[in-house]
Amino acid sequence: MSILGTRVIRTEDPRLLTAGGIYVDDLREPELDGAARATFVRSTVAHALITGIDTSAALEQPGVIAVLTAADMTDLPPPPPAGEFDPDAPAVEGPLPLGGVWSEPLLAVDRVRFVGEPVAIVLTDSTYQGEDAAELVSVDYEQLPAVPSIEAALAAGSLLFPDAGTNVCQKGGQDTSDESIFDGCEVVVEGDIVNQRVACLPMEGRSTAAAFSGGKLTVWASTQNAQLSRLILTAIGLPPDAIRVVAPDVGGGFGAKIGVDRESIIVAWAAKHTGRPVRWVETRNENLLAMTQGRAQELHIKIGGSRDGHIKAYRLNVLQDTGAYARMSGFLPSLTVLMAPGVYDIPAVQADYKVVVTDGTPIAAYRGAGRPEAAATIERAVDWFAAEAGLDPARVRKLNFIKPGQFPFVTKTGAPYDSGEYEAALDKVLAKAGYEELRAEQRRRREAGAARQLGIGLASYVEVTAGDAGAGETCKIDVHSDGTATVYTGSSAHGQGHHTAFAMLVQAELGIPMDKVEVIHGDTDLIPDGVGTYASRSLQLGGSAVQKAALEVKDEAARQAAALFEAAEADVVLDADTGLWQVRGDPDKSLTWAQVASEAEGGTLMANVRFTQAMPTFPFGSQLSLVEVDTETGKVTLLRHVTCDDAGPVLNPVLMEGQRHGGIAQGAAQALCEEVLYDADGNPLTSTLADYGAITAAELPSFELVTSETPTHLNPLGVKGIGEAGTIGATPAVQNAVIDAVSHLGVRHIDMPLTPERVWTAIQSAGLRRHVREASAK
Amino acid sequence: MKVELTVNGKDITADVEDRTLLVHFLRDVADLTATNIGCETTSCGACTVLLDGESVKSCTVLAAQADGRSVTTLEGLASDAGEMHPVQKAFHEEHGLQCGYCTPGMVMAIVSLLRENPSPTEEQVRAGLEGNICRCTGYHNIVKAALSAASGVNP
Amino acid sequence: MIPPAFTYRRASSADEAIALAAEYGDDAKYLAGGHSLLPLMKLRFAAPSVLIDLGRLPELSYIRDERTYVAIGALTRHHDVQHSPVLAAQIPLLAHTAGRVGDPQIRHRGTIGGSVAHGDAASDLPAALLALDATFVARGPSGTRSVQAAGFFKGIFETDLEPGELLTEIQVPKPAVPAAWSFQKFTKRAIDWAIVGVAVQGHAIALINMGTTPLRATAAEAALASGASIADAAALAAEGTSAGSDIHATKAFREHLARVLVKRALEEAGARS
C-alpha cells in the first residue's frame, strides 16, 4: 500500500525537539570563527535629508572594528542608469523592485524614507558592544514633511522621490469607468474597505552571516530561497559562481524572506570589504521596523444585482501602499485585481489598481500576497450585498458560484481556474458547523436582546498558487550503492515539512524506505539551480519534480536490473512496497536497490530534472467562523472556526492540517487584532511585541477541519497549494462573523482589525443613524 | 562578575559582564543554542527555560540573578538514555511544531505548566500559553500536544 | 536588545539593600523580579548605573495571617500570591488578581512589591490593593513607616517612596465579606495590559488605567453609599478620572468601559457574596 495519503509524523522533528534547530545565530561553522557582530544604525525619522553622519564617538568604543556608511561603499558596481519614468507604463513583470528613479539604495545615501531605514553598519567583537556603539553614531537630519498614508501620498504635498514628480509609482488593471454595468441592478452597494498593514512576524527575524575568503563569498541567510538570494547578492560585484548561499534552519518566512533584503547585501559587502566574517541577527524591534510588511490596501467597491440575489456587476479599485520602496512594484495589487471576482460567475467585473509610496516600511509578500485582499474584499462585498438585499449570505453565495460544469473557467479578470467544487465545499462546512442551528441560536439571542450576540461568518474563496508555474522546480535524486537515496530539491523548507513529504514521495515511487532517504535543500553549491518556497508552490512543483526524478531514476534502474537479470527491460518490475527489483513471473529472483545502484556508473543512479507546470492552480474552499460579540464593550470572542480547504489529493494529512491551522490563525489575527500603525509624522507606534498584538493561543479555539479533495490536471500528483489557503479564507470569515453579529443593529461594515472600540463605535453609529431615521420619519 | 550556574545538571562558571542576560549566558557561555530569542519585551516566550524548575523568560533575567541556581533548557529534557520527555514526544506525535523556532520555549512552558497543573483543560492550556507566540501552527497542535502529554504523564 | 552597562550588587538582607541604596544614591535602582525594569533598560528607556538585587531576601517573601490583616512580604512573587491558600480563603480578590498579571513566566519572577513600587497606573495589583485599603510598609535609612494605599500613588510611575526607601511589606485588611469581590480586566489579548480594569471589594471600587495612577471611583462609591442602584452608581464610574488616549483606546471609550465594567463588577461581587 502506498504511503501517500497516510498520516506520517515528521522526520524533521526529533532534532528540533531535542537539540533545537540551527538558525543563523546558532551556526558554529569554522568559517565564522571570530565573526564580527553587525548592528545597524537606523533612521529615527520618517522622511529627511541626511546632512551629516558622525561616527567618531562610536569608533572610540571598545570592540569596534568599523562603522561603515554609504560613503564607504565605493567598491560596489555602479547602479544601472535611471530610465525615463512613465507611471502609465505597464507593470513590471513579476515581483521585482522598481528601478530607475524609484531605486532603493543599500545604506541610505542622502535621504531617508522610513523609520528604520539602515543608515550605517557598526561591526564589533560582540553584540553588547554593537548596541552601545550604534547608539553613539550621530546622524544629522533635515526633516521633510512625512507621507504617512495613502491619502498623503496622493495629495503629493511631499514627494518621497522628487525626481519622479509623483508618489504614484504604478497603475494597472482594467478601465473601471463604465457605470452602465450597474444598469438594471435592483440592489447596489458601494463602500470603502481597508485591508490594513500587518507585520509578517516570523518568530526568527532576518539574519545573515557572511565570510569572504579566497575570492569566494559564503552567505548563510534566513531565506525562503538560497538560489534567488545568490542572484540578489551579486549586487556586491561578484559573479554567481563566486557566491555560495546556504539556508540553515529558517524560523518561519511567510513571504517576507523571499530572497534577501538590503541588510543582507550590506552584511555580505561588509564581510568582503573588511575581510572579516560578519554576522547579523536582527532584534524584534528592527524586525517590526524594517522587515517587509503585508497587505496595506485601501479598496473601493461597488457591487450590484437583483433583489433575489443574483450578482450582476462588481467593481474594485485598489490603492496599494507599497511603503517607502516599491520592492514588488505592482505585483501584489495585480494579483488582487486578477482574483477580484473570487468564486463567483459575475457577468461584469472591472478592477484596477494604483500603487503609491509612503514613508512606511516597504510592503512585500505576506502569506497570500495580494490574494487575501481580493478574497477579503469580494467576500465582504457579497455579505454587504446580501445584507442589503435581506438574503441569507449562504444562499447568495450558492446562487452565484461558478458551477462544477463550467471548469476550466476564465474569469472576467483573466484568471484561468482549473477545477473547483465551490458549492460542495460550502455545503460541507455548513453541515459540519450546524448552520441552521446556529442561525436559530442567533435569532434567539437577537429576540432576547442579549448583550452577547452571536455572529456567523462565511467566506468562500479561490486563490492562485504557483503563480510562476512555468519557472517550475528542480530535483536531483541520487540512489547510492548502499541502497540509500539523497534528494536535492530547489524548494526550500522553513517549517512546512518538505523533508517528510519528499521522502514519502521517494518511498512511494521507489520503495526505498523514508529513513533511507535524505533530503537536502538550500545550498547553492549543492543545488545551483532552484526556485524556492513561496506562493504555495512546493508540493505541486517541488514535489512533482521529486516524483519526476524518482521515475527517471526508476527507468535507469530498470535498465541496470534488466542487465543484471539478463532479462528484457519490459519484464523487470519494481515492487514499491518492498523496494525489490524482480523479473515478472519469477518471484524467487530479486535485486535490492543497493545491488542495482552498485552496477551503475560510479555506484550511483542519478536523475536531475526540472518540473514545470503549464499554469498555476486554483485551490478553493469555504470557511465558517462563529463569534460572540459583547455589544456593551465591542469585545469579540472567536468561538469556532470550521473550514473546508480543497487543494487536491492530500499527500500527508498531518502536514496539510498544520498548514491550514497556521493559516487560519494568521488570517483570524488580521481580522481581530493585528495592525501596524504610524502617527501623523510617520513614526511607528507598533515597533515592539508589547504593542503589536500578535495573536496567541488564548485568543483562539481549536479549529474544525473538513476534507475535500478535487484534483487538478496540471501536475501528476493532482495537487494544488495549501500554504496560504487558511489565511485567505479565515480573514473574511471572521470579519463577516463579527459584522453579522451586529448586523441586526444596523451595522453594515467595520474595518479590520475588529478591535473592541471599532466594533462598539460601529454599534453606536448605527444606533444613531437608526434614531435619526426614525425621528425624521415621524 | 563571576556567575555559577547548574545548567542541565552541569556546573558552569564564567566571568561575565554584570548586564549579561541569562539567555546569552546559556547561548554564548554554555553554548546551548536551543533557547532562542524572539523579542526584547518579555512578550514572545521563545527564550523560556526552567529556573529551579519553573518557567521563566531568560531574556528578562540577568545571569547574575540566576547565579547559584539550576537551569533546564530544551537540551536537558530528554533522559540520559536519550528518550524524549513526554512533552517532546507529544510535540512530535501531534505535529506541534513547524519551523521549530518557538518550540524550545513552548516545550519548556508546557513542562512547567504541567508540573503545576498535571491535568489541565484545553482552556487552561490556552490561558497558560498566553505568553508564548507561535506563527506557524495556529497553536492547534501545540495545545493538542500539551493535553496529550498531560494524559500520558497521568494516565 | 541589551541593557546599558551597570554595576550589579546583590543584597543579602533588607538592611544591606538600604545601605547600598544610600551609598549609590540616585544612580541606583532596586531590582526585584526585574520584569518592569529590565525591559525598559533593554529598550534603553532607563539606564541606572547600579542595580541592587533584592532577589535573595527570603525574609521579605512570605504571606502571613495576622488575624485582622494578611501581611505579604514585598518580594512575594505573583505566582505565590496567586496560589496562597491564606489569600484564597481570606482575600480571594488579591489571589485572583495576581493570577491575571502578565503570563505564567512573568508570575514566576514578578513580585507584588515590585509591582506596587513601580507605580504603573496600568498594573493590576496596585488597583486591587487600593480597593482593599492596603497599607504599605517602607523602610529607609531613618526607619520604618506605613503609608495607606490611598495616599501612596502620586503620579505617573511616581509613588510616596523616598529615594532609597525599600517597600518591605504589604498589609491587607481582611474584608468583611471576602467573597464580595470582582476583578474585571478588559484587554484585546489575554497577555495585554488592561485597557481598563476594575477591582471591587464590597463597595470599594478601584480603576486601572483611568488616570496617571490607580484610582478609586469615588463618585460611584459615594452613590452606592447613599443607596443608589448599581446601574446608577456605575454610571458615575468615570467621574473624576483622567484617562488618556493611545493606540489601544480613546479616552471616551475608556470612560465607557469603566462604566460598563464597574456595573459588571458590582453585580458579580454582589452575586458572589
Side-chain angles (χ1 to χ4, degrees), chain A residues 745-746 748 766-778:
Chain A
L745 304 173
R748 283 294 169 271
L768 200 63
R769 279 197 305 273
R770 206 170 49 239
H771 185 75
V772 169
R773 252 198 325 270
E774 279 161 11
S776 58
K778 273 175 198 164

Side-chain angles (χ1 to χ4, degrees), chain C residues 33-34 39 57 61 75 84 90-91 117 131 158 167 174 181 184 190-191 206 227 229 250 258 265 268:
Chain C
L57 306 182
S61 175
L75 288 168
S84 158
Q90 307 284 357
I91 316 177
E158 193 194 335
L167 181 67
K174 293 183 182 174
W181 68 276
Q184 305 280 331
I191 179 78
S229 70
T250 59
E268 187 179 57

Side-chain angles (χ1 to χ4, degrees), chain A residues 280-603:
Chain A
W280 166 65
V281 178
E282 75 178 348
T283 64
R284 182 58 64 191
N285 179 240
E286 280 183 287
N287 176 262
L288 285 166
L289 290 177
M291 173 181 252
T292 54
Q293 299 172 344
R295 314 289 187 254
Q297 291 185 356
E298 291 175 13
L299 309 105
H300 184 77
I301 57 132
K302 189 168 179 181
I303 186 168
S306 62
R307 180 67 55 195
D308 65 1
H310 287 94
I311 300 168
K312 307 279 191 205
Y314 178 56
R315 177 193 290 157
L316 173 67
N317 307 108
V318 184
L319 286 169
Q320 172 78 58
D321 167 7
T322 195
Y325 296 98
R327 293 260 179 103
M328 286 201 161
S329 59
F331 179 66
L332 299 174
S334 71
L335 282 175
T336 312
V337 162
L338 179 74
M339 299 308 294
V343 287
Y344 307 106
D345 183 5
I346 305 175
V349 181
Q350 303 173 342
D352 68 5
Y353 68 84
K354 200 181 273 184
V355 185
V356 300
V357 288
T358 64
D359 40 27
T361 301
I363 292 291
Y366 171 53
R367 205 165 193 167
R371 296 106 77 199
E373 297 89 325
T377 308
I378 183 72
E379 287 308 289
R380 204 60 286 292
V382 167
D383 257 35
W384 206 332
F385 172 81
E388 206 59 34
L391 299 169
D392 182 291
R395 180 179 148 69
V396 172
R397 281 178 172 78
K398 290 184 179 192
L399 276 177
N400 292 284
F401 278 148
I402 299 162
K403 307 289 181 285
Q406 290 177 273
F407 292 93
F409 181 92
V410 180
T411 66
K412 290 288 182 289
T413 51
Y417 295 172
D418 51 349
S419 57
E421 289 276 355
Y422 302 157
E423 184 165 349
L426 177 57
D427 280 337
K428 284 183 180 184
V429 163
L430 297 177
K432 170 84 177 169
Y435 186 64
E436 293 308 326
E437 293 81 355
L438 294 177
R439 286 285 176 211
E441 169 64 14
Q442 180 184 51
R443 272 193 300 276
R444 276 194 289 279
R445 292 203 195 186
R446 286 182 175 182
E447 280 157 16
R452 289 185 170 82
Q453 288 291 328
L454 213 54
I456 304 148
L458 298 175
S460 295
Y461 68 90
V462 55
E463 63 130 340
V464 48
T465 62
D468 57 348
E473 191 53 277
T474 63
C475 180
K476 178 170 161 282
I477 295 182
D478 293 347
V479 178
H480 310 286
S481 55
D482 62 356
T484 65
T486 308
V487 176
Y488 299 89
T489 173
S491 191
S492 202
H494 37 287
Q496 298 86 346
H498 288 55
H499 291 231
T500 302
F502 290 178
M504 287 172 72
L505 286 167
V506 171
Q507 177 175 327
E509 289 302 336
L510 303 183
I512 300 175
M514 283 181 70
D515 60 1
K516 298 259 190 288
V517 180
E518 186 187 13
V519 180
I520 292 174
H521 76 272
D523 183 335
T524 59
D525 270 9
L526 300 173
I527 309 150
D529 194 13
V531 182
T533 293
Y534 54 87
S536 302
R537 71 201 305 286
S538 290
L539 183 60
Q540 56 188 308
L541 300 177
S544 295
V546 171
Q547 194 201 40
K548 184 177 174 184
L551 291 173
E552 282 194 17
V553 163
K554 196 164 130 186
D555 284 349
E556 176 61 23
R559 278 190 288 277
Q560 298 288 347
L564 287 167
F565 283 129
E566 296 178 347
E569 207 180 307
D571 291 335
V572 172
V573 289
L574 172 70
D575 181 340
D577 289 338
T578 60
L580 290 175
W581 286 94
Q582 289 176 321
V583 180
R584 218 183 296 275
D586 187 356
D588 295 340
K589 270 207 291 195
S590 66
L591 289 168
T592 63
W593 274 101
Q595 289 168 310
V596 176
S598 300
E599 289 304 308
E601 200 185 316

Side-chain angles (χ1 to χ4, degrees), chain A residues 127-128 131-132 135 283 285 452 630 632-633 635 677 685-686 688-689 691-694 696 698-699 755-757 760, chain C residues 1-5 42-44 186-192 195 247-250 252-253 256-257 260-261 263-264:
Chain A
T127 313
Y128 285 32
E131 289 200 12
D132 293 346
E135 253 193 342
T283 64
N285 179 240
R452 289 185 170 82
D630 181 341
E632 291 176 358
T633 65
K635 176 137 180 156
L677 291 167
L685 300 172
T686 46
T688 71
L689 277 184
D691 295 320
Y692 185 78
T696 80
E699 285 77 54
T755 60
E757 181 156 9
W760 181 76
Chain C
M1 292 173 107
I2 321 296
K42 288 202 283 180
L43 295 169
R44 307 220 166 187
F186 192 84
T187 61
K188 282 187 203 164
R189 301 175 306 154
I191 179 78
D192 288 330
I195 292 173
I247 59 169
H248 305 294
T250 59
F253 186 54
H256 166 73
L257 285 177
V260 173
L261 298 180
K263 176 164 174 283
R264 289 180 180 181

Side-chain angles (χ1 to χ4, degrees), chain C residues 32-201:
Chain C
H35 275 55
S36 298
L37 183 57
L38 290 176
L40 289 176
M41 291 174 66
K42 288 202 283 180
L43 295 169
R44 307 220 166 187
F45 294 152
S49 58
V50 180
L51 287 187
I52 302 165
D53 185 5
L54 309 172
R56 305 295 165 93
L57 306 182
E59 62 184 289
L60 293 187
S61 175
Y62 55 82
I63 297 170
R64 279 201 296 262
D65 191 333
E66 302 280 3
R67 295 190 353 148
T68 58
Y69 68 94
V70 175
I72 304 171
L75 288 168
T76 309
R77 304 176 313 160
H78 304 319
H79 177 82
D80 298 323
V81 173
Q82 178 187 359
H83 294 287
S84 158
V86 171
L87 290 173
Q90 307 284 357
I91 316 177
L93 168 63
L94 196 56
H96 175 85
T97 304
R100 295 298 317 275
V101 177
D103 58 42
Q105 293 97 313
I106 290 170
R107 295 194 289 271
H108 285 143
R109 294 292 300 163
T111 65
I112 188 168
S115 177
V116 168
H118 191 55
D120 188 344
S123 276
D124 301 330
L125 284 167
L129 292 166
L130 189 61
L132 288 162
D133 287 319
T135 299
F136 302 130
V137 181
R139 201 190 303 175
S142 48
T144 297
R145 67 189 179 105
S146 294
V147 190
Q148 298 302 307
F152 184 78
F153 300 103
K154 297 288 198 190
I156 302 172
F157 296 106
E158 193 194 335
T159 69
D160 193 53
L161 288 173
E162 297 289 331
E165 239 181 354
L166 180 66
L167 181 67
T168 55
E169 186 176 274
I170 293 141
Q171 298 172 349
V172 191
K174 293 183 182 174
V177 186
W181 68 276
S182 175
F183 184 72
Q184 305 280 331
K185 182 175 181 177
F186 192 84
T187 61
K188 282 187 203 164
R189 301 175 306 154
I191 179 78
D192 288 330
W193 297 84
I195 292 173
V196 173
V198 175
V200 159
Q201 183 71 57

Side-chain angles (χ1 to χ4, degrees), chain B:
Chain B
M1 68 173 292
K2 199 176 120 191
V3 170
E4 200 177 332
L5 290 182
T6 306
V7 184
N8 301 333
K10 238 171 65 184
D11 291 339
I12 297 179
T13 305
D15 211 9
V16 297
E17 262 193 274
D18 289 11
R19 60 173 161 165
T20 304
L21 300 170
L22 177 58
V23 68
H24 289 122
F25 189 97
L26 295 171
R27 291 180 52 85
D28 300 336
V29 178
D31 203 27
L32 293 168
T33 56
T35 306
N36 293 317
I37 302 171
C39 74
E40 43 274 352
T41 45
T42 333
S43 309
C44 82
C47 66
T48 301
V49 299
L50 304 184
L51 180 61
D52 288 341
E54 293 175 321
S55 60
V56 301
K57 293 180 173 177
S58 62
C59 77
T60 310
V61 178
L62 299 173
Q65 288 176 290
D67 183 28
R69 297 184 166 195
S70 153
V71 175
T72 310
T73 70
L74 183 85
E75 292 98 328
L77 267 192
S79 74
D80 292 342
E83 200 196 343
M84 284 201 267
H85 183 280
V87 174
Q88 289 170 310
K89 251 190 253 174
F91 265 68
H92 187 206
E93 279 156 17
E94 302 292 351
H95 189 30
L97 67 158
Q98 291 183 29
C99 82
Y101 199 84
C102 78
T103 308
M106 281 287 181
V107 168
M108 300 317 282
I110 290 169
V111 167
S112 180
L113 187 143
L114 295 184
R115 277 184 191 169
E116 287 169 18
N117 181 1
S119 313
T121 60
E122 173 173 344
E123 200 186 339
Q124 288 169 329
V125 169
R126 288 184 174 277
L129 294 178
E130 63 188 323
N132 287 73
I133 297 175
C134 168
R135 290 298 270 185
C136 294
T137 66
Y139 306 100
H140 183 104
N141 286 343
I142 291 177
V143 173
K144 225 168 139 184
L147 292 170
S148 110
S151 59
V153 171
N154 297 279

